[in-house]
């Protein structure tokens, strides 16, 4: 899709590119349970999401470097070629993975009526919205932070990305014991860290990176534990909520920054991340005694070892 849209300009690839990436999220998030034994799913999920984390660290600098050498068309062309190569590698390296069951539009509302998946997705929505409300404006916040020169910002963001990769694997191990507890701990850590970045200094950016780096793998592990019999629908809902939260977070952060200054975006982000903690705790208590399909799914992924 990138290759076909590339000649028309950088903005023209945005629509189909986002469509393709939404599909990647929905499919990739549910691959690990189908490729490895159950006891290895958390580690395999962390490995899958490490690709996203590493790409987030390397993608923008690499695209910028290629663009400087050959223009933006060269960057898009390289992306298209890499996409084609990845498709060939996946074709040869992965076994056939037909759908376990038909995924219908009615499956999403049904899954949302179950307390376990609903609670997990609510926590994801609050946490990711809060993160992107703040992170969208992290550069202007760093520019106003004492002791941070303009030349140091790029290095700080690189350190943030590397910390995110480490956080992804650390959270993957913790999620093997309890994805719910892991995600709620990360929510609390972000709630405390993000608003304090301006007064306490850029060193907190490393803690922010470690905490947010573990969000994707922990959240996906929780969703999979809450809906083990409907992984495709759970993965699709997870990807939809995650991407909608990115857009909503940027919007809300922008409104806060316009009205009260860029530091307000960080306070808003911290508040939303903090709200995720009681939402997860209350939802877990009310969902533990679910009936029907939810009751037959090992609770809602709350007990240690539910992965």
């Amino acid at each position: 899709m990138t290759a076909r849209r590339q000649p028309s300009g950088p903005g023209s690839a945005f629509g189909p590119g986002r469509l393709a990436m939404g599909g990647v999220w929905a499919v990739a998030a549910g691959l690990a349970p189908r490729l490895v034994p159950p006891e290895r799913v958390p580690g395999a999920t962390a490995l899958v999401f490490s690709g996203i984390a590493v790409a987030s660290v390397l993608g923008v600098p690499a695209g910028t470097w290629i663009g400087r050498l050959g223009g933006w068309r060269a960057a898009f062309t390289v992306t298209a070629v890499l996409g084609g190569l990845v498709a060939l590698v996946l074709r040869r390296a992965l076994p056939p993975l037909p759908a376990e069951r038909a995924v219908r539009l009615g499956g999403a509302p049904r899954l949302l009526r179950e307390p376990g998946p609903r609670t997990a997705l609510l926590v994801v929505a609050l946490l990711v919205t809060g993160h992107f409300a703040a992170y969208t404006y992290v550069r202007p916040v760093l520019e106003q932070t004492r002791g941070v020169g303009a030349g140091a910002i790029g290095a700080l963001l690189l350190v943030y990305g590397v910390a995110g990769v480490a956080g992804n694997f650390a959270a993957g191990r913790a999620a093997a014991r309890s994805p719910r507890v892991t995600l709620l701990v990360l929510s609390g850590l972000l709630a405390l860290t993000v608003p304090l970045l301006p007064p306490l200094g850029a060193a907190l950016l490393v803690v922010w990176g470690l905490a947010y780096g573990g969000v994707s793998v922990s959240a996906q592990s929780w969703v999979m534990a809450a809906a083990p019999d409907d992984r495709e629908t759970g993965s699709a809902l997870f990807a939809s909520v995650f991407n909608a939260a990115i857009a909503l977070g940027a919007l809300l952060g922008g409104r806060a920054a316009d009205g009260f200054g860029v530091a307000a975006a960080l306070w808003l982000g911290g508040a939303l991340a903090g709200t995720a903690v009681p939402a997860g705790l209350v939802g877990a208590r009310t969902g533990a005694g679910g009936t029907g399909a939810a009751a037959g799914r090992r609770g809602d992924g709350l007990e240690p070892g539910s992965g």
Side-chain angles (χ1 to χ4, degrees):
M1 298 181 82
T2 303
R4 292 186 61 185
R5 300 297 292 185
Q6 175 266 332
S8 301
S12 63
F14 182 81
R18 291 299 297 171
L19 178 64
M21 281 307 302
V24 168
W25 271 88
V27 173
L31 281 178
R34 305 187 62 188
L35 292 173
V36 299
E39 65 274 10
R40 297 179 59 191
V41 166
T45 302
L47 186 61
V48 170
F49 279 106
S50 72
I52 298 173
V54 172
S56 299
V57 175
L58 300 180
V60 173
T64 301
W65 179 69
I66 294 170
R68 286 177 179 173
L69 292 179
W72 66 264
R73 288 180 174 82
F76 273 65
T77 300
V78 169
T79 301
V81 171
L82 288 175
L85 291 174
V86 169
L88 292 175
V89 171
L90 291 177
R91 173 77 176 180
R92 295 187 62 87
L94 290 182
L97 295 171
E100 293 178 318
R101 64 180 66 195
V103 178
R104 297 180 174 86
L105 290 177
R110 178 189 56 75
L111 200 60
L112 287 174
R113 288 194 293 269
E114 299 183 10
R118 185 175 64 241
T119 299
L121 292 170
L122 175 61
V123 171
V124 170
L126 290 169
L127 180 53
V128 176
T129 299
H131 167 77
F132 280 96
Y135 188 71
T136 302
Y137 299 94
V138 70
R139 187 179 185 93
V141 168
L142 290 174
E143 290 172 348
Q144 298 176 10
T145 301
R146 180 179 302 176
V148 178
I153 292 177
L156 285 171
L157 294 177
L158 176 62
V159 171
Y160 166 91
V162 173
V165 176
N168 172 78
F169 284 103
R173 290 194 294 270
R177 297 186 294 272
S178 178
R180 177 182 68 94
V181 172
T182 302
L183 190 61
L184 295 184
V185 168
L186 295 177
S187 300
L189 190 58
L190 287 169
L192 294 173
T193 301
V194 171
L196 296 178
L197 180 64
L200 295 186
L204 284 182
L205 200 63
V206 178
V207 182
W208 187 350
L210 282 168
Y212 185 73
V215 166
S216 294
V217 62
S218 303
Q220 180 61 24
S221 296
W222 188 359
V223 172
M224 292 296 97
D229 298 328
D230 204 353
R231 288 194 291 254
E232 286 88 354
T233 302
S235 294
L237 277 172
F238 170 75
S240 299
V241 169
F242 203 104
N243 283 284
I246 291 173
L248 180 60
L251 173 64
L252 295 178
R255 300 300 291 268
D258 287 343
F260 305 98
V262 290
L266 270 66
W267 282 100
L268 174 62
L272 288 168
T275 305
V277 177
L281 294 174
V282 172
R285 284 199 298 269
T286 58
T291 59
R297 293 183 177 183
R298 291 157 53 198
D300 59 353
L302 309 182
E303 53 280 280
S306 64

